[in-house]
Amino acid sequence: MNALALIAKTQSLIASGDIVAAEAALVELADTEGDQALMVVLEQLPPKDILAVIREYDNSKESVINLLVSPEQFARAVVIEKQYKDLTRTHLRGMMNAIIFREDADTVEFLTAIGDLEGGAEALADYFSEKWSRVEAFARTGTFETVEDDGDILSESALLGSAYIKPRVEEDEVADQDWMQLAWILRHKLPDLFIEMLLVLRAKARAHDLGLSEEEGSDEDDNKVETSATDRGQATPAARDSDEESAI
């Protein structure tokens, strides 16, 4: 099957909600023609279709797609993940952990690619949405223990002033390949992106405290897809507008 035919087949399967079959078609290409052939196809797939596959991660096995997706491709997928109405952020955290902490990954390169895109800081804030108080504690004290936090929130200027301080904990102490390690890398290796993310996270926390939903006032809501009840391989089939190229 040539690349164009495989792309058409993959998009058709994704549009119908058969993510397992779409992933299997891509894996078969890698098995028969090699990883380079798959990378060529991934470069031609729209970000939304790549997202449809990688967000249905399965941490019980490695996915060749997760292993080969580039930082730029991944970043473009991450910033549109919010178009799914997965308010638990389970899929976002799962796919980010699976890909940016993969064995050969340069985590800083992946995070930089995300931060370079409009909506990147918001996507990272969504990733940390359930850990706001501990990320704030980390910003203020350099540790994730809220017991050391006096409750004050650092101003933006204070955050900038503390951006390059020496770490109080080393990365290997929080190397959980999860949110703590990601927060550590952001603060100590990409401090500007960490601050930008934290300011967005604060705004989201304030909106939550005021009882405002994240979708309120957003024009994007009409294009979102309900996925809260989906299981791996059973993603909600998406109605697509005539100009849409993916499952969202």
Side-chain angles (χ1 to χ4, degrees), residues 101-193:
F101 290 119
R102 72 192 189 194
E103 188 173 347
D104 69 331
D106 181 338
T107 304
V108 170
E109 184 179 4
F110 274 89
L111 291 173
T112 298
I114 294 171
D116 284 345
L117 294 181
E118 181 179 355
E122 181 182 358
L124 291 171
D126 286 340
Y127 174 94
F128 289 109
S129 58
E130 293 187 352
K131 305 295 182 182
W132 173 69
S133 62
R134 297 188 68 183
V135 173
E136 281 285 1
F138 181 55
R140 179 172 180 78
T141 69
T143 77
F144 293 100
E145 299 301 326
T146 55
V147 69
E148 293 191 33
D149 193 1
D150 62 10
D152 290 337
I153 293 179
L154 292 181
S155 65
E156 184 174 355
S157 59
L159 285 171
L160 289 168
S162 64
Y164 295 95
I165 63 173
K166 182 179 179 180
R168 284 191 59 187
V169 297
E170 298 302 323
E171 183 178 359
D172 59 3
E173 297 179 65
V174 293
D176 57 355
Q177 296 192 342
D178 200 353
W179 70 273
M180 281 190 185
Q181 186 172 5
L182 189 58
W184 192 99
I185 293 170
L186 281 171
R187 185 184 183 197
H188 295 298
K189 296 184 178 181
L190 296 167
D192 291 340
L193 181 55

Side-chain angles (χ1 to χ4, degrees), residues 31-130:
D31 289 342
T32 58
E33 299 187 32
D35 291 351
Q36 188 61 42
L38 175 57
M39 292 174 71
V40 169
V41 169
L42 291 178
E43 288 173 358
Q44 298 179 66
L45 278 174
K48 291 180 179 181
D49 288 332
I50 292 178
L51 172 62
V53 175
I54 63 176
R55 79 185 300 274
E56 296 293 326
Y57 72 98
D58 180 354
N59 60 11
S60 68
K61 67 179 182 68
E62 285 190 335
S63 164
V64 67
I65 293 89
N66 286 1
L67 292 173
L68 294 178
V69 67
S70 72
E72 292 74 22
Q73 291 165 344
F74 182 63
R76 289 192 293 269
V78 165
V79 298
I80 60 175
E81 205 278 339
K82 64 183 179 181
Q83 294 180 32
Y84 286 85
K85 292 196 297 185
D86 178 15
L87 300 183
T88 68
R89 313 299 185 198
T90 301
H91 289 271
L92 175 63
R93 288 192 299 270
M95 72 177 191
M96 284 190 62
N97 289 346
I99 291 175
I100 68 175
F101 290 119
R102 72 192 189 194
E103 188 173 347
D104 69 331
D106 181 338
T107 304
V108 170
E109 184 179 4
F110 274 89
L111 291 173
T112 298
I114 294 171
D116 284 345
L117 294 181
E118 181 179 355
E122 181 182 358
L124 291 171
D126 286 340
Y127 174 94
F128 289 109
S129 58
E130 293 187 352

Side-chain angles (χ1 to χ4, degrees), residues 184-209:
W184 192 99
I185 293 170
L186 281 171
R187 185 184 183 197
H188 295 298
K189 296 184 178 181
L190 296 167
D192 291 340
L193 181 55
F194 175 76
I195 293 169
E196 184 181 2
M197 177 280 299
L198 184 57
L199 295 176
V200 176
L201 186 58
R202 287 175 177 177
K204 287 178 176 288
R206 286 195 296 270
H208 180 272
D209 289 345

Side-chain angles (χ1 to χ4, degrees), residues 202-234:
R202 287 175 177 177
K204 287 178 176 288
R206 286 195 296 270
H208 180 272
D209 289 345
L210 293 171
L212 302 176
S213 69
E214 292 188 17
E215 290 80 16
E216 254 182 311
S218 172
D219 293 331
E220 297 176 351
D221 189 49
D222 291 341
N223 296 322
K224 294 184 179 179
V225 176
E226 177 56 61
T227 61
S228 59
T230 61
D231 296 319
R232 175 168 171 78
Q234 302 295 323

